[in-house]
Amino acid sequence: MTATPRIRPRRLRTTSGIRRLAAETRIHPAQLVLPLFVREEGGPMPIASMPGVVQHSLDSVKGAVQDAAAAGIGGVMLFGVPSRRDATGSGATDPEGILNRATRVVAAEVGDALVVQTDLCLDEFTDHGHCGVLDALGRVDNDATLERYREMALVQAASGSALLGLSGMMDGQVAAVRETLDSAGFIDTAVLAYSAKYASAFYGPFRDAVESTLDGDRRSYQLDPGNRREGLREAMIDIEEGADVVMVKPAGSYLDVLADVAAASDIPVWAYQVSGEYSMIEAAAMHGWIDRKRAVHESVLGIHRAGADVVLSYWATELAGWLNDGDFA
């Protein structure tokens, strides 16, 4: 006898129209945020370990954000690449420092069309490359760093940042920044907590992008890659402290943590598809080993499927263009 299945799930896969109707997860351009690097001196500079990504000048970033706005993505996250660094990261709180200048430029260019966001961390601005100030023994001083974060928050908000990305992984950073913003009248400036940020090997190309001076590692403040429950705990603490959004970073290797946080959180949950994730797909595609467009889409789709409301991705503008063209319908 020939087996005749009574239940046929393939019926919902037979045509593109049926597959579209049955799709459980979709990406909309507004669910994407584009990270951008802006350098203090010189013109746009390609980043060798991130093919297709550049360090922008204050002029070239205008075109990048105009393209992003035209594609309909949700926002941009700005990172500064200063020409000078010091022990306390003074450039981070200088109103004329590169990140604050870039924020004013971008907010003036597309502030009504995109949510302008800024990285609130010291690592790009310190000569030792850590995310905070160091004590006499060379350790990152959590509470002294919080004071620097308070100062950064005020300058970034005054420069036009609508959302501050607290990525330093200092204990109490959300409470400190929220209190400072509210006391200064910036009650509408949102706080994004990089809550579950892991000490990952996938940040390597990013450190090229910001010309990091880090010697050593950040394992004393970023999470151990083997710790799942701790990621959820960090997110719950940040929610309690007043975060408006919580983040899991990296995304692709931490989908279990992302799903945990999404299931427990009553505020938006975002994820950062980091530089190493980007560069691996680009490198494999350059060798002809994978279909680049499909791999990009699938990688971001998987992050959304795991629970991310928004994904930060270096492909944000390009992917939005494909979505607008109906390439994955």
Side-chain angles (χ1 to χ4, degrees):
M1 293 180 62
T2 302
T4 304
R6 183 177 63 85
I7 299 172
R8 296 180 180 270
R10 285 183 55 190
R11 290 191 188 104
L12 298 183
R13 305 173 200 151
T14 53
T15 68
S16 61
I18 290 177
R19 290 193 296 272
R20 185 168 60 249
L21 281 173
E24 298 176 27
T25 305
R26 294 179 176 85
I27 310 168
H28 188 278
Q31 296 174 296
L32 301 170
V33 169
L34 176 67
L36 289 168
F37 306 101
V38 187
R39 59 184 292 115
E40 191 157 21
E41 295 180 351
M45 295 285 291
I47 301 166
S49 57
M50 298 181 71
V53 179
V54 303
Q55 294 175 337
H56 284 283
S57 67
L58 287 171
D59 285 333
S60 71
V61 77
K62 295 178 184 178
V65 296
Q66 288 170 356
D67 290 344
I73 72 169
V76 291
M77 175 66 76
L78 303 178
F79 297 86
V81 185
S83 57
R84 293 169 295 280
R85 296 172 167 87
D86 58 32
T88 61
S90 60
T93 48
D94 180 355
E96 295 305 314
I98 183 56
L99 180 55
N100 299 315
R101 290 170 61 200
T103 303
R104 294 195 295 272
V105 168
V106 171
E109 194 74 22
V110 292
D112 294 332
L114 296 172
V115 178
V116 179
Q117 308 164 36
T118 46
D119 180 55
L120 197 155
C121 192
L122 287 171
D123 61 317
E124 296 113 280
F125 300 94
T126 55
D127 54 12
H128 46 73
H130 278 289
C131 299
V133 294
L134 306 183
D135 64 16
L137 298 178
R139 302 170 301 189
V140 175
D141 187 324
N142 190 97
D143 294 0
T145 298
L146 294 183
E147 296 308 308
R148 294 290 292 130
Y149 288 179
R150 290 177 185 269
E151 296 167 7
M152 289 181 70
L154 292 177
V155 177
Q156 291 186 2
S159 297
S161 179
L163 182 148
L164 310 183
L166 279 57
S167 63
M169 288 300 292
M170 295 297 117
D171 293 341
Q173 62 184 15
V174 172
V177 167
R178 186 72 269 163
E179 177 187 48
T180 298
L181 291 170
D182 291 350
S183 296
F186 292 109
I187 60 173
D188 292 327
T189 302
V191 169
L192 161 64
Y194 285 52
S195 301
K197 182 177 180 181
Y198 285 82
S200 172
F202 293 108
Y203 301 146
F206 176 92
R207 292 176 183 169
D208 292 340
V210 297
E211 300 176 6
S212 174
T213 56
L214 180 67
D215 182 15
D217 58 57
R218 297 179 175 135
R219 288 184 290 180
S220 68
Y221 46 101
Q222 294 178 352
L223 297 181
D224 185 318
N227 290 4
R228 178 174 178 172
R229 292 192 302 270
E230 190 178 17
L232 176 59
R233 182 184 184 221
E234 287 276 7
M236 294 300 100
I237 291 170
D238 287 342
I239 292 171
E240 180 66 24
E241 290 186 3
D244 299 289
V245 184
V246 289
M247 174 96 87
V248 175
K249 177 183 180 182
S253 296
Y254 296 88
L255 297 180
D256 56 338
V257 179
L258 174 58
D260 290 347
V261 174
S265 176
D266 59 0
I267 65 174
V269 177
W270 295 8
Y272 197 142
Q273 186 180 45
V274 299
S275 58
E277 297 174 78
Y278 171 90
S279 295
M280 286 192 299
I281 289 178
E282 288 291 344
M286 288 169 65
H287 281 83
W289 295 336
I290 59 174
D291 181 319
R292 178 178 180 271
K293 182 183 287 189
R294 288 185 61 196
V296 169
H297 177 256
E298 185 177 333
S299 69
V300 177
L301 186 71
I303 297 166
H304 277 295
R305 189 186 64 243
D309 300 298
V310 167
V311 175
L312 277 71
S313 174
Y314 298 97
W315 290 300
T317 300
E318 185 176 19
L319 176 55
W322 296 335
L323 294 169
N324 291 332
D325 290 342
D327 287 3
F328 305 106

